[in-house]
Each structure stands twice: as C-alpha cells, then as structure tokens.
Amino acid sequence: MSTKKKTELPKKEKSNLQRKGPPPMPARGMAVSFLLMAIFLTSMYLFSDSSKNDGQKDYSYFIEQVKSGRVSKVDIAHDGAGNHNVIVESKDVDDSGSTRFRTEIILTDKLMEMLEENNVQVTVKRPKTVMVSILANLIPFLLIFGLIYFFFIRQMKNSGRGAMSFGKSRAKLLTHDKNKITFSNVAGVDEAKEELLEVVEFLKDPKQFQKLGGKMPKGVLLCGPPGTGKTLLAKAVAGEADVPFFTISGSDFVEMFVGIGASRVRDMFEQGKKNAPCIIFIDEIDAVGRSRFSGIGGGHDEREQTLNALLVEMDGFDTQEGIIIIAATNRPDVLDQALLRPGRFDRQVMVDLPSLEGREQILNIHVKNIRLSDKVELSKTARGTPGFSGADLANLVNEAALLASRRKANFVEQKDLEEARDKVIWGRERRSHALDDEEKRLTAYHEAGHALAMHYMEECEPIHKVTIIPRGRALGATMQLPKKDRYTQSQKKLEADLVAFMGGRAAEELIFGDITTGAHNDIERSTAIARAMVCEYGMSKKVGPQNLGNSQEPIFMGQGMTGSQDYSESTANLIDEEVQRILVDSYDKCMNILVEHKKELIDLSEILIEKEVLDADQVIHILKHGKLPDENEDEKNDATDLAEASETDEDLFAKENKDEPKNKDSDSEKN
C-alpha cells in the first residue's frame, strides 16, 4: 500500500527527435510500384505509335507519296529472306504532323534515285534473325508475367497468408531443437507443475496409463492473472515430454469471412494428428471461446462457428492418439460452459501470483545472467514485491541492470533493485519537476501525516520510504514494505489503513487550517474500502453480513447492464450512512493521533523538506529523538554491538574449552 499526494497528469512533450526526409517505402510498396512501371513501359513500347499509324500500305501508295513529296524518311530493314520491310514517315498535307506506315519494296537503283531526287532520308538497318525478333517481342510479356508470379504465386506459397491459404492453420510448430524449455526454467508455481507432471508422463509413455483403463484429460485449461507464466508452463510441458509443440493465439482463428476460423481449427487438428504425440497450445482462448450469449450488440457468427468447430474436434479425437490440448486465459469466467465440461477441458490448473518463496525462486532464475554484488539480498527484494507476477519480476531485474549500467557500475547493487522496484510500482523520479517552497512544504506535511499515522497504527504495514520528490504522476509518496503476503484482510487491518489514508488531509487541516486537492486519491481509495466493508465483507453491524450486489466484476457482452438493484431505498440510505460513518471515524481517529504527536509531525516534516527522501530507520529515529541519527553515534553503536558480539563469542569459546577437560575426566572415570 502506498499513499500519494496530488495526482498530476503529465503534460505532453514534443519529441526532440524529428524525422528527416520522407519515410522509407515498404518493400511490398516498392514492388508494386516496380510492377506498375513495367506495365507502363511495355504499353509504351507496344502502342507508342498507335495514335497516328495507318498500318500496312501497298507499294503503289508508297510511290505516289514519294512523288508528291510527302515522304520525309524511309527506314529499310532486311528480314533475312530477301524481302525489305520499310517503315515510311510521311508528312500530312496541312503540316500538322507526320504519319508512319509500313510497306514492302523491291530495292532497285531506280527507286533509290527517286528517293534521292525527292530529298527522302534513307536508313538501312541490318537484318534481324528470327530469334532476335521473337525475343524482342516476348521480353515485355515475360517481364510482366515474371513479376506477377513472384508477387502473387510465390508469396502465397511462402507466407501461407495469401488468398489461397485462408483456411490453413496458423499454428507455429516448435520442436525440441528450438529453445527447449523445461520445468527448471519455471519457478513460483510448484502446484501447477505437479498437476502437469501427469501430462508429461502420459506423453512419454501413454501405454502406462492405458493398462489400467484410465483416460487422460483431453484438455488442460491454465487460468491465472497476466504474466504468471501460463505460456511458459505449456512450453515446459512440451520440453519435458520432448514432443512437438503447436502454438496459436485465439485471435488467429477469427477472420472477417465466415467459415475461415472453423477451417483453421480442422486443419490444426489434422496437423496435430500427423505429428502425434504432440501438444496443441491455444493462448488467450477467450478470444474464440467466449460464451455464446446474444447480449447487447448481438452475436458473432464467425466466432460462434469457430467455437462450434473447436467443440466438435475436441469430441472427435481420442487421447490415445497422443494429443493434449492446453489453453490459457486470464478470463475463465467468460468462457462458454460447453467448452469447460468434462470431455473437453477436463482439468483447470490455477496459475496464481507467486508467494514470497516463489518470488525469490523467480528472482534467482532471472539473475543468472546478471552480475550481482555479493551484498545483494534477493529475499529482501522478494519481500518488498507482494503482488508481483513473474513478468513483473523479470522486468524489475532488467530495470536494475539498466540502472547499474547507467551509472557505469560493475555489479548490480541492492539499491539498484530497490530503485527498480520503486520505479515499477510508483514510476520514475521526476527531479526536473521542481516544486516551489510553499508547495514543497505542503507536500512534506502531507506525507509526514501519512507516515505518522502508519507508525502509530500497529496493524499497518511498516514504513519503507517517505519522499517528496515527484514520482510518476504523484508529487510525493509514503511507501510501505509488507512483512508477509496477506491473502485475507481483517477488519482491524482495513480500519488501520483507512486511518493512514486520512493522514495527509488531516495534517493539512491541522497545520495550515486548509485542505487541498492533494488527498483526492486517498479519499477515492478510502471510499472504495469503506463501501466494500459494508456491501461485500459484512463488516457493518447495522447492515449485517450480507452481500448487496456491489460486484466489481467487469460487464461482459451486456450482462449486468440491465440488472436491477437488489435492495430497497432504505437499505441504500443505510449503506451510505455506514460508509460515511466509517470514513468520519477514521478521519477523527487520525486527527487525534496527529494532535497528540504534533511536535513529531513538525520535526519529521521540516527534516523531510531538507532531505526530500527518508528511509524507514531515519523516520523512526526522527519520531523518537526529533532529529536525524548522528553518524558518529551510529559508528559508536556499531562498535559497541561488535564488541558485545565478540565478547559473546569468546565466552562461548572459553566455555567450550572449559567443558572439554570435564568431559574427558568423566570419560576416563567411566573407563
């Protein structure tokens, strides 16, 4: 739990990095452009002269045009067979342009003299072979068809995502040669691993289970919050059993075309049968396995057909084939009941957030490739990260390594892990966000009020750190470090937390005679806890132990949007009165604590203004002595403790040496 002072929305800042020049064109866009350019050039080649081309003319027409002086140019080309193919360029009568036509001639001296007399430009080209002519005409067409083949046919074959492969499964096959993961790579979920060991043993030796006539579950559903290692567990099962592993996401089944998802489901099971024994893993199965309930917005034909195909396929195969279906979801409440019945997903395995011991085990796995200092205590880090998932812990270790490299250290220290934890939970320190003296003083008293209330409420978790440096969206924070993991909350613990939440607002009113908006987050959280105590936990004597429908479950597919209030107006008024009473009592109790310890509040606040950050030992010393601990005093105390410890060790050693002769004498006497 932490308390925050004055939530502040971050301002949007313009990026200093500006893109220079136009963005690079994607490879597919360049290919399409090249294809269009080839088509355009080919068209220009084939039809460049089609606008003013009269085609083939006879020889007499050609002679007439020459004699009339309309011919300006003649291109004579030999075809290699004694014939002369002539391209004639003649002038129009109105000199508006020129017209080209073809003809065949018999090349004679008389004809050449006629052309010379009429000032006709004559060009004679070398004869073309038949092969050259054919290639010259076919090259443009070959270029076009080659590009079409490359960008359509080949792409469809290679990618498997083309128009011809809509109905093919998109499941990726991971063999044991690729990134093999075993149970040694998974920590913090011992119970889940034990349940999945049966699946591993079955895949290794199916006949062992078939001797007794038992059947293995067809499907295993992994449920749990995000980041707890559900996907990793499924891969570990495949790695332990050393079998092929097909993985696919639930969203890969759903397409805009009806029937595509069902076809992909059938194809996926066909691939599984060909590679049996194997594991088929469907991640985020809630994307395709949601309840077929037509609420607000209607149904979804494609998704329902895909779900129906999945149900049929799971009924159609036998576990003797060696196929195990493993699915993962963090929303098991929205899955269709037909999917969860026995014979489909027979077993549900809960993959919950790791415990204290589990978090330490996970940290040990993630720090294998990290250069840690010898003074690092992972147990301390594990204790300070309640509610962290495996993914959160991996991110914490990575952030710590980045922090250590940023300060050019050779090893990751304990302070790096603590700073990384604070950064993950509360955000990065914003030292550039400077507060003026008045607001800094107000924030210091606000956070000191929280710290003082937490200190004198025994049920509250111990203080970890108090800071008035803006972190994340908060101007200050009072952080706590739980002693242990809590799976239930007592009424006294909740009431103590409410008193701690009111510390900031009460300190503002006591010292400044005014209140600010800085406590709005505290009030929001306090109200939520107080209402839950009345409506859900039955912690109000007037209301009694009953649930009054204040469910925090998210609305799914229109369910619950049209539900009616299941209690009367008088009960609603009673709930409001009880919530108000709990909040007012908490505030009054907090105010009494601050009034009684006002001097401690002032001392802590003034030192906090100066230091900006105080750890737990410093806070406790200030509350006891009104000042920060003296360094010389700490050294003296450490020396005294060391001397006492040494003296104790010497006494023990002397005692052991003193007892040895007695034991020897007694032994000799016995002998």
Side-chain angles (χ1 to χ4, degrees):
M1 183 187 74
S2 67
T3 55
K4 300 181 180 179
K5 169 70 172 73
K6 231 180 221 182
T7 303
E8 183 182 271
L9 296 176
K11 298 179 180 180
K12 295 183 179 180
E13 299 180 355
K14 296 182 178 179
S15 176
N16 296 326
L17 301 176
Q18 297 181 353
R19 179 180 291 175
K20 296 181 180 180
M25 183 178 294
R28 183 168 294 180
M30 294 179 64
V32 173
S33 301
F34 184 71
L35 177 61
L36 295 176
M37 182 68 69
I39 295 174
F40 175 74
L41 294 176
T42 305
S43 303
M44 292 292 293
Y45 172 78
L46 296 176
F47 307 105
S48 59
D49 300 321
S50 62
S51 60
K52 286 188 176 184
N53 194 340
D54 290 343
Q56 190 76 18
K57 301 292 183 181
D58 55 17
Y59 182 74
S60 59
Y61 179 81
F62 167 66
I63 296 298
E64 181 183 351
Q65 293 290 318
V66 174
K67 289 181 178 180
S68 61
R70 294 180 181 177
V71 178
S72 61
K73 186 179 180 182
V74 174
D75 293 332
I76 303 175
H78 299 272
D79 60 0
N83 299 320
H84 300 87
N85 192 14
V86 180
I87 300 176
V88 182
E89 184 174 337
S90 63
K91 301 176 182 178
D92 292 343
V93 180
D94 55 358
D95 296 330
S96 61
S98 60
T99 302
R100 302 182 69 183
F101 62 88
R102 295 177 180 269
T103 187
E104 294 183 1
I105 65 172
I106 300 175
L107 193 60
T108 60
D109 295 338
K110 186 177 180 179
L111 178 60
M112 295 300 296
E113 291 177 0
M114 183 188 299
L115 296 175
E116 186 177 354
E117 289 176 358
N118 289 276
N119 297 321
V120 178
Q121 182 182 351
V122 180
T123 303
V124 181
K125 298 181 178 179
R126 293 182 178 180
K128 294 182 178 179
T129 62
V130 178
M131 185 60 68
V132 173
S133 302
I134 294 174
L135 289 177
N137 293 324
L138 288 180
I139 283 177
F141 296 98
L142 292 175
L143 180 62
I144 294 174
F145 284 110
L147 292 173
I148 292 174
Y149 172 80
F150 179 79
F151 291 109
F152 289 94
I153 307 299
R154 187 175 177 183
Q155 291 295 321
M156 287 190 294
K157 289 182 178 180
N158 294 339
S159 64
R161 296 177 179 264
M164 304 299 293
S165 60
F166 279 157
K168 298 294 183 181
S169 173
R170 294 185 178 180
K172 299 178 181 178
L173 175 60
L174 302 179
T175 60
H176 61 277
D177 297 330
K178 269 188 184 181
N179 303 323
K180 186 175 182 180
I181 298 174
T182 62
F183 282 153
S184 61
N185 303 110
V186 184
V189 285
D190 295 337
E191 293 82 3
K193 288 197 294 186
E194 290 177 3
E195 291 198 56
L196 293 173
L197 276 175
E198 292 183 6
V199 178
V200 174
E201 296 297 330
F202 170 75
L203 291 172
K204 287 183 176 180
D205 188 12
K207 296 181 180 180
Q208 181 68 27
F209 291 82
Q210 297 170 5
K211 289 180 180 178
L212 301 176
K215 295 182 179 179
M216 285 296 296
K218 289 186 178 181
V220 178
L221 182 63
L222 304 179
C223 310
T228 52
K230 298 183 292 293
T231 305
L232 190 65
L233 262 175
K235 292 182 179 179
V237 172
E240 290 286 342
D242 199 16
V243 296
F245 182 80
F246 289 92
T247 176
I248 190 172
S249 176
S251 60
D252 290 335
F253 291 110
V254 183
E255 289 284 352
M256 65 181 292
F257 303 108
V258 178
I260 298 298
S263 177
R264 289 176 177 174
V265 170
R266 291 189 291 269
D267 186 70
M268 180 185 67
F269 277 86
E270 287 295 329
Q271 293 184 29
K273 292 176 182 178
K274 293 178 182 178
N275 293 272
C278 67
I279 292 176
I280 298 177
F281 176 66
I282 306 175
D283 199 8
E284 305 296 341
I285 195 174
D286 51 277
V288 68
R290 289 185 176 183
S291 176
R292 291 166 291 184
F293 173 79
S294 294
I296 296 178
H300 195 302
D301 290 339
E302 164 61 8
R303 182 173 51 77
E304 290 184 4
Q305 289 193 18
T306 305
L307 175 58
N308 291 334
L310 180 61
L311 297 176
V312 172
E313 291 293 332
M314 292 190 71
D315 281 337
F317 79 93
D318 193 352
T319 53
Q320 294 182 0
E321 298 177 357
I323 302 176
I324 298 293
I325 310 296
I326 300 179
T329 180
N330 50 28
R331 292 294 310 277
D333 56 307
V334 304
L335 295 180
D336 197 282
Q337 292 301 314
L339 197 62
L340 302 177
R341 74 161 177 81
R344 287 168 180 154
F345 283 104
D346 308 82
R347 181 174 298 181
Q348 296 188 25
V349 179
M350 186 64 188
V351 188
D352 210 344
L353 294 172
S355 61
L356 174 60
E357 183 181 357
R359 292 195 299 272
E360 186 174 354
Q361 294 174 0
I362 294 173
L363 287 172
N364 282 313
I365 290 178
H366 290 303
V367 299
K368 285 183 178 180
N369 299 325
I370 304 294
R371 300 182 62 183
L372 289 181
S373 173
D374 297 335
K375 299 180 180 179
V376 170
E377 299 178 14
L378 293 179
S379 59
K380 184 178 179 180
T381 304
R383 188 167 66 88
T385 52
F388 272 47
S389 64
D392 295 330
L393 294 173
N395 184 38
L396 184 148
V397 173
N398 185 63
E399 287 289 343
L402 294 177
L403 290 172
S405 62
R406 193 176 300 158
R407 59 184 182 88
K408 302 187 183 301
N410 296 325
F411 300 95
V412 175
E413 303 286 347
Q414 186 72 40
K415 62 180 181 181
D416 297 318
L417 292 171
E418 293 181 0
E419 176 61 26
R421 177 199 59 211
D422 297 344
K423 181 181 178 181
V424 171
I425 299 176
W426 296 286
R428 185 179 179 182
E429 290 184 349
R430 296 185 295 153
R431 293 186 176 272
S432 59
H433 191 84
L435 303 177
D436 57 26
D437 294 339
E438 182 180 356
E439 194 160 17
K440 188 176 182 180
R441 188 165 182 266
L442 181 65
T443 304
Y445 275 92
H446 183 103
E447 300 303 332
H450 285 305
L452 200 66
M454 292 176 187
H455 178 72
Y456 285 103
M457 296 299 297
E458 296 180 358
E459 293 80 7
C460 286
E461 300 290 355
I463 299 172
H464 169 61
K465 185 186 296 184
V466 183
T467 177
I468 57 173
I469 299 175
R471 184 184 286 272
R473 295 187 297 175
L475 298 181
T478 301
M479 309 171 190
Q480 296 174 284
L481 188 64
K483 297 178 181 178
K484 60 179 182 179
D485 291 343
R486 292 182 180 268
Y487 302 100
T488 58
Q489 300 284 347
S490 65
Q491 184 174 354
K492 291 183 178 181
K493 173 65 169 55
L494 293 176
E495 291 175 349
D497 291 341
L498 291 177
V499 174
F501 282 134
M502 298 297 179
R505 180 185 173 95
E508 292 177 2
E509 184 178 358
L510 177 63
I511 301 300
F512 302 100
D514 194 9
I515 55 178
T516 67
T517 60
H520 86 276
N521 182 260
D522 302 325
I523 295 175
E524 180 182 0
R525 297 173 65 183
S526 300
T527 305
I529 293 175
R531 186 166 292 277
M533 291 173 64
V534 176
C535 298
E536 299 180 44
Y537 306 149
M539 296 180 179
S540 171
K541 292 183 179 181
K542 291 185 177 181
V543 176
Q546 57 179 324
N547 189 292
L548 298 176
N550 190 31
S551 177
Q552 302 297 322
E553 293 288 333
I555 297 174
F556 171 65
M557 298 185 67
Q559 299 179 11
M561 295 184 66
T562 59
S564 60
Q565 184 173 290
D566 56 356
Y567 49 87
S568 63
E569 290 296 329
S570 60
T571 303
N573 294 330
L574 183 60
I575 292 173
D576 293 338
E577 292 175 359
E578 282 295 284
V579 171
Q580 184 180 11
R581 179 190 62 79
I582 293 174
L583 295 175
V584 172
D585 290 347
S586 300
Y587 188 82
D588 293 340
K589 190 172 184 178
C590 181
M591 181 63 75
N592 293 333
I593 293 175
L594 298 185
V595 171
E596 183 179 354
H597 304 278
K598 186 176 180 179
K599 184 179 181 305
E600 300 172 23
L601 175 65
I602 296 174
D603 294 338
L604 180 60
S605 302
E606 295 300 324
I607 296 175
L608 186 59
I609 294 173
E610 180 184 357
K611 298 296 184 180
E612 294 186 338
V613 180
L614 297 174
D615 58 26
D617 295 335
Q618 291 174 326
V619 171
I620 294 174
H621 193 279
I622 293 171
L623 295 179
K624 288 183 179 180
H625 306 285
K627 63 178 182 177
L628 285 171
D630 189 10
E631 295 182 359
N632 296 329
E633 183 180 351
D634 291 343
E635 293 178 358
K636 185 178 179 181
N637 293 334
D638 293 341
T640 304
D641 295 340
L642 182 62
E644 292 177 355
S646 302
E647 185 179 356
T648 303
D649 294 339
E650 291 176 358
D651 293 341
L652 292 174
F653 181 74
K655 186 178 179 180
E656 292 176 357
N657 292 338
K658 188 176 180 181
D659 292 341
E660 283 181 0
K662 292 182 178 181
N663 294 334
K664 290 180 179 179
D665 294 337
S666 59
D667 293 340
S668 59
E669 290 177 359
K670 291 180 181 181
N671 295 331

